[in-house]
């Protein structure tokens, strides 16, 4: 911990770390309460684009997690901010359940392509429309580029392969707004009033959660739930600060060793 300041904040991934769809990771609710009792600031940071922040909050509360809406920072929020700053009118490839997070954004005559996870919209016709728009000069914005994520029935493709396909076809590079981008992490931390050296990230995605956090100057803990696969901890350099079985173990490590 040399050169680091006292720990003030914990950023926590949601899907795969606290829950998998409608099932909580065993012991996660109690572990979260223990973090709060230690007077650490908590922020939930997620790349989930399958549902709006409101739906996500309702899901977590049904699973008995003590979470407030203002504590959730999503890649959908980051994408909306970018659209407003640049005054883009997006062709939005996200699930219908996530659309409410873009309420009020002008989508007439779109001049930008925004891609999240949208299984119901990833068909040839829609992707070809996006491809032609990009060829005509529309920017390609990826809400994130995760390769895959964990569902109750197994691993499933994320938006990354579809974004990469559009990049390849149109010979362009997407702007990514969610994890692992530094701006995503620093935005989440700025709300808490602390620097990266005062924060730690817990997640199941070695690149987007842990690698992204550590590249921003935070510590990162990789949990072996959700999308974790054997050997993931060897895929980034430097490796995770810690790799452990689950969120409660990560919390135990923080409380015993980092305070």
């Amino acid at each position: 911990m040399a050169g680091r300041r006292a720990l003030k904040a914990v950023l926590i991934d949601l899907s795969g770390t606290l829950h998998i769809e409608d099932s909580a990771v065993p012991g996660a609710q109690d572990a979260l309460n223990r973090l709060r009792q230690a007077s650490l600031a908590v922020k939930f940071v997620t790349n989930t684009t399958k549902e709006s922040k409101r739906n996500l909050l309702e899901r977590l509360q049904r699973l008995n997690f003590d979470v407030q809406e203002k504590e959730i920072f999503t890649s959908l929020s980051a994408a909306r901010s970018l659209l407003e700053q640049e005054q883009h009118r997006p062709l939005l490839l996200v699930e219908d359940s996530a659309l409410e997070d873009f309420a009020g954004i002008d989508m007439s005559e779109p001049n930008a392509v925004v891609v999240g996870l949208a299984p119901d919209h990833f068909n040839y016709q829609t992707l070809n429309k996006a491809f032609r728009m990009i060829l005509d000069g529309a920017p390609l914005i990826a809400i994130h580029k995760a390769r895959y994520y964990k569902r109750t029935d197994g691993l499933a493709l994320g938006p990354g392969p579809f974004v990469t396909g559009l990049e390849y076809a149109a010979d362009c590079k997407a702007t990514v707004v969610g994890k692992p981008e530094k701006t995503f992490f620093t935005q989440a931390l700025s709300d808490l009033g602390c620097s990266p050296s005062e924060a730690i990230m817990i997640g199941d995605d070695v690149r987007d959660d842990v690698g992204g956090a550590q590249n921003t100057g935070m510590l990162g803990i990789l949990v072996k739930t959700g999308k974790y696969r054997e050997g993931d901890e060897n895929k980034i350099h430097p490796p995770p600060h810690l790799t452990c079985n689950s969120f409660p173990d990560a919390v135990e490590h923080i409380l015993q060793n980092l305070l």
Side-chain angles (χ1 to χ4, degrees):
M1 290 295 288
R4 297 194 64 84
R5 293 155 74 178
L7 191 68
K8 286 185 182 176
V10 184
L11 301 191
I12 304 167
D13 173 55
L14 290 174
S15 178
T17 301
L18 289 189
H19 70 100
I20 295 165
E21 294 188 336
D22 285 320
S23 300
V25 167
Q29 298 97 328
D30 289 342
L32 177 58
N33 292 338
R34 291 183 69 205
L35 270 186
R36 293 193 185 280
Q37 287 159 10
S39 298
L40 288 165
V42 170
K43 193 101 179 176
F44 304 93
V45 290
T46 176
N47 271 349
T48 294
T49 60
K50 301 188 299 296
E51 56 192 346
S52 67
K53 187 189 281 192
R54 182 179 58 82
N55 290 345
L56 192 54
L57 178 66
E58 288 172 359
R59 183 195 293 263
L60 292 167
Q61 290 175 338
R62 280 199 306 274
L63 295 173
N64 295 316
F65 284 105
D66 174 20
V67 179
Q68 297 175 42
E69 185 171 356
K70 66 180 181 184
E71 295 176 316
I72 300 175
F73 185 66
T74 74
S75 52
L76 293 173
S77 314
R80 183 187 176 109
S81 295
L82 180 65
L83 292 173
E84 289 173 337
Q85 284 164 20
E86 303 289 333
Q87 297 186 311
H88 289 318
R89 300 184 306 279
L91 170 68
L92 270 182
L93 298 189
V94 299
E95 286 295 79
D96 293 346
S97 53
L99 284 175
E100 71 178 67
D101 283 0
F102 294 93
I105 296 274
D106 183 4
M107 299 184 204
S108 61
E109 298 180 30
N111 61 3
V113 173
V114 177
V115 183
L117 184 62
D120 294 341
H121 303 292
F122 285 155
N123 56 61
Y124 186 86
Q125 191 175 345
T126 306
L127 289 168
N128 201 45
K129 179 181 178 181
F131 164 65
R132 289 176 174 175
M133 283 178 58
I134 296 163
L135 286 185
D136 287 340
L140 173 60
I141 299 166
I143 300 181
H144 63 97
K145 284 181 77 175
R147 292 165 165 81
Y148 50 84
Y149 68 104
K150 179 67 183 255
R151 296 193 314 208
T152 46
D153 64 351
L155 294 177
L157 284 175
F162 300 93
V163 174
T164 302
L166 287 170
E167 288 179 319
Y168 177 71
D171 195 17
C172 70
K173 201 80 184 139
T175 297
V176 183
V177 296
K179 295 178 288 185
E181 298 305 302
K182 278 187 184 181
T183 47
F184 181 85
F185 288 104
T186 53
Q187 248 183 298
L189 287 174
S190 68
D191 293 348
L192 301 175
C194 73
S195 68
S197 64
E198 299 168 314
I200 193 163
M201 172 78 206
I202 305 172
D204 67 320
D205 188 314
V206 71
R207 295 183 182 91
D208 288 359
D209 293 329
V210 178
Q214 294 191 158
N215 288 340
T216 309
M218 302 166 60
L219 294 176
I221 297 181
L222 178 65
V223 292
K224 294 183 177 182
T225 51
K227 66 161 54 175
Y228 172 84
R229 304 190 79 202
E230 185 91 26
D232 275 357
E233 58 270 36
N234 303 318
K235 291 178 179 174
I236 60 167
H237 300 283
H241 167 71
L242 177 74
T243 301
C244 62
N245 285 331
S246 66
F247 178 71
D249 294 332
V251 169
E252 185 65 24
H253 174 80
I254 290 169
L255 299 179
Q256 295 297 326
N257 299 288
L258 299 182
L259 296 184

